[in-house]
Amino acid sequence: MTNEIDASELSFEDFKTIVINDYRIAVESRQASLLGRKEVLTGKAKFGIFGDGKEVPQLAMAKVFKNGDWRAGYYRDQTFAFATGISTLKEFFAQLYANPDVNADPASAGRQMNSHFATRSLNDDGTWKNLTEVKNSSADISTTGGQMARLVGLAYASKLFKQNKELDYLKNFSVNGNEVAFGTIGNGSTSEGVFFEAFNAAGVLQVPMAISVWDDGYGISVPAKYQTTKEDISEILKGFQREEGTNGYEIFKVRGWDYPTLCETYLKAIELCRNEHVPVLIHVTEVTQPQGHSTSGSHERYKSKERLEWEREHDCIVKMREWMIESAIATKEELDELEETAKKHVKEVQKEAWNEFLDTIKQEQADVVRMINNLANGDASLSKIAAQLASTHDALRKEVVSAARKAIRLSVNAPSAEREVLINWYQGKTEFFTELYNSKLFTEGLESPFKVNQVAAQYSEDGKMLDGREILNACFDANFARDARLLAFGEDLGAIGDVNQGFAGLQAKYGELRVSDAGIREATIVGQGIGLAMRGLRPIAEIQYLDYLLYAINVLSDDLATLSYRTKAGQKAPLIIRSRGHRLEGIWHSGSPMGMILGSLRGMHICVPRNMTQAAGMYNTLFRSDEPALVIECLNGYRLKEKLPDNVGEFTVPLGKVETIKEGTDITVVSYGSTLRLVEEAAEELTAFGISIEVIDVQTLLPFDLEHACAKSLQKTNKLLIVDEDVPGGASAFILKNILEDQKGYYLLDGKPQTLAAKAHRPPYGSDGDYFSKPSVDDIVEVAYAMMNEGNPERYPKLY
Ligand SMILES: Cc1ncc(C[n+]2csc(CCOP(=O)(O)OP(=O)(O)O)c2C)c(N)n1
Ligand SMILES: [Mg+2]
């Protein structure tokens, strides 16, 4: 690990020791890059991306990174990770080999490509560790610039901890908001929209966010002239420079090979950022990339001879070495020896990591070879499988398991005790393999939403009938009073209490730190929520209309939804996204893109309440648990009257449990959200025809009907109609798959299952546009009627 340099207290000898130690870290890191690339090129790892050329600035950054601080960075940061202790050389190689043992690769348990860093914020039971005592790295994602949205929230948390005294009791998350959130990003990735959005947001919020740009002049093969106006990111961001009487940034520019100036710059920049909560940009220029972008190609293809020569001369390690010799910090011979030792050391660590990766697989390989040989009993094809596996040097688990499965298939017509042994082995291992490769899409810890006490809504006889929005308002009020960690923000959410008044009056009551307006910036509204949630707070990030979720879907899908999986429950972000959707008016205010959501947000709970009381019950569950969720309220439901439960802040609606709104015997109609009211209306009309509809509200699409109530209903009706207002084959196809396949509803049907969705286009503006585009009561009645006609045309003659 690196050490701080405090010139006022250091002797020259101490100073030398620190610098030499830094140099050793840099050299070891470079060796890891060189060796890592070889490991890929010789086939031991699948892909490699390394931090060579960026070592020296990262040492400087590591010096000012303190316990409690946070990083949101990208795949070039290995030197920083080694210098802070966020990662070790051994862990680095374990991740390169995709070792699925979380002890070997604590960042991702082999789930992420190499150089994707993360520290473990959680205990095994999903509860928080003390994050003020450690150096924290939020889990990297591979998408360029994807770290920026989250960075805003990590920094904003410090501001809240500093300014909101009610949070003082949260000792494990902050010490008076003194923590800095460090972001790193490549020069090319600053071209991404989310970079500019995050940059502006932090300037507005004035939060302790320190962005370092590692500027090597390229984004893979594309040079700066195609990336950045004026080819200079700090130059074009000059308008953000704070001035007398304005907010803004402090902007620094420093060359990536100049160790002493880098150390000074970081010291100055971070002191300001930490103490005064001024965001800073440190533009680190003249950085190189000695091995090119990644193992996927060579940079000779796109860099000129002159550029390659310049890079060799300006290699930051070469430059640091020159400076150390010139400054009498070390002699050439001493550094030669240090480099030799470092090389050996890294090689040894790499070997250990490789052997550890293979250890458990080797055992499995030997077991499977033995079992297949026992089973073969003269069968040539089975013996061949065993021999092939036995001779596979450094077999992967895939090869071992595939051999076992093939042998089981080939011997299907020759049952034997030996075959049973092999089958038992394979089936016995399934749980272990699932745990290794498929587990922890959610935290599933002590605070899982499935462990929240279920509390029924209570109503007094004289209970008030209120507008839906007032029910929500009462729910939020009760929860904000109960839990100081809760806060909400979004466009128009603060002063006016959101466009539909769910938060009306709550800013006045709880203050601007807890109920606040945000700029029009959906990606970083979500990112703000993710960062806050990773630091122990309980944010509700509002997306004004569901249609605008598309502006944030990348952040939700790449970052929030994958967080638990990609860290194997090492980190969590219990963020609630609140939005409103389904039918209202026009192409961008009637969206119900549920299929898109279901496809992209596995790892979040998706709640689709039919009214505001159900929504309140879901919020009550979610606020008391720690997994991320999206709640979609019905846009057209805020002014409908609902009865206020006496325990509006307490009663819970469980996730994954449907509600049967109306019992019936002829057709099971499954729906959710705004179409549900129409289904109820249609059911009334169908009664006149003697058709009895059972109406099921699924309530949450993820998870979906855990008790298989839909199939149970089909036992009675044998007919299934699914109604929603997504595109044809959107969420309705998802529901169909769940009921027919997972719940085995297929066997219970006496006619073809039916879906009724909206048209493929978005609805035109106006009531007529809605009528001709989204399912109407007429449509539902007629489709249900047609289903009855199909089975009994005499009793239900064709309508048309
Ligand atoms: C959203 C997204 N677009 C494209 C890519 C492919 N990609 C990976 S790295 C990279 C270049 C990034 O360049 P830069 O930000 O300068 O970082 P450097 O690798 O040079 O350090 C690209 C285009 C990606 N990972 N994510
Ligand atoms: Mg670059």
Side-chain angles (χ1 to χ4, degrees), residues 117-253:
F117 302 100
T119 43
R120 300 193 76 74
S121 304
L122 305 180
N123 300 307
D124 288 346
D125 62 5
T127 55
W128 294 104
K129 292 181 180 171
N130 184 341
L131 305 181
T132 64
E133 289 175 345
V134 288
K135 298 187 164 74
N136 301 286
S137 175
S138 61
D140 290 357
I141 60 179
S142 302
T143 35
T144 48
Q147 66 276 30
M148 293 304 299
R150 173 187 350 122
L151 178 64
V152 173
L154 292 170
Y156 186 54
S158 288
K159 177 169 172 164
L160 294 176
F161 282 119
K162 188 169 191 165
Q163 296 190 2
N164 182 357
K165 295 297 155 211
E166 280 180 58
L167 300 175
D168 283 356
Y169 77 100
L170 294 168
K171 302 281 182 230
N172 285 351
F173 299 100
S174 177
V175 179
N176 306 321
N178 287 335
E179 304 79 18
V180 171
F182 289 75
T184 66
I185 186 166
N187 58 298
S189 305
T190 64
S191 313
E192 294 279 10
V194 71
F195 171 80
F196 287 95
E197 190 180 311
F199 204 83
N200 177 56
V204 169
L205 294 170
Q206 289 294 288
V207 288
M209 172 165 133
I211 304 176
S212 297
V213 178
W214 310 142
D215 188 348
D216 57 13
Y218 288 84
I220 309 188
S221 66
V222 181
K225 73 170 175 172
Y226 297 114
Q227 299 282 2
T228 310
T229 309
K230 299 185 182 181
E231 302 185 29
D232 189 327
I233 191 67
S234 57
E235 181 64 26
I236 60 170
L237 290 175
K238 269 187 175 162
F240 284 86
Q241 173 65 48
R242 66 186 182 140
E243 288 163 9
E244 194 67 34
T246 75
N247 62 12
Y249 274 75
E250 208 54 48
I251 297 177
F252 301 84
K253 190 175 200 169

Side-chain angles (χ1 to χ4, degrees), residues 746-758:
Y746 173 80
Y747 301 102
L748 301 167
L749 296 179
D750 65 8
K752 107 177 152 69
Q754 183 76 44
T755 62
L756 174 59

Side-chain angles (χ1 to χ4, degrees), residues 592-610:
S592 195
M594 300 311 304
M596 174 195 82
I597 288 168
L598 291 167
S600 55
L601 301 185
R602 303 300 165 107
M604 291 180 69
H605 300 298
I606 309 297
C607 303
V608 281
R610 67 180 178 277

Side-chain angles (χ1 to χ4, degrees), residues 468-470 492 496-504 542 544-545 578 580 584 633-636 638-639:
R469 64 152 192 102
E470 293 173 295
D492 303 290
I496 66 165
D498 88 48
V499 286
N500 294 91
Q501 303 273 286
F503 271 92
E542 173 163 312
Q544 194 162 72
Y545 287 82
R578 176 183 184 224
R580 49 190 72 87
L584 192 70
E633 299 162 12
C634 295
L635 245 175
N636 57 6
Y638 292 105
R639 307 240 164 237

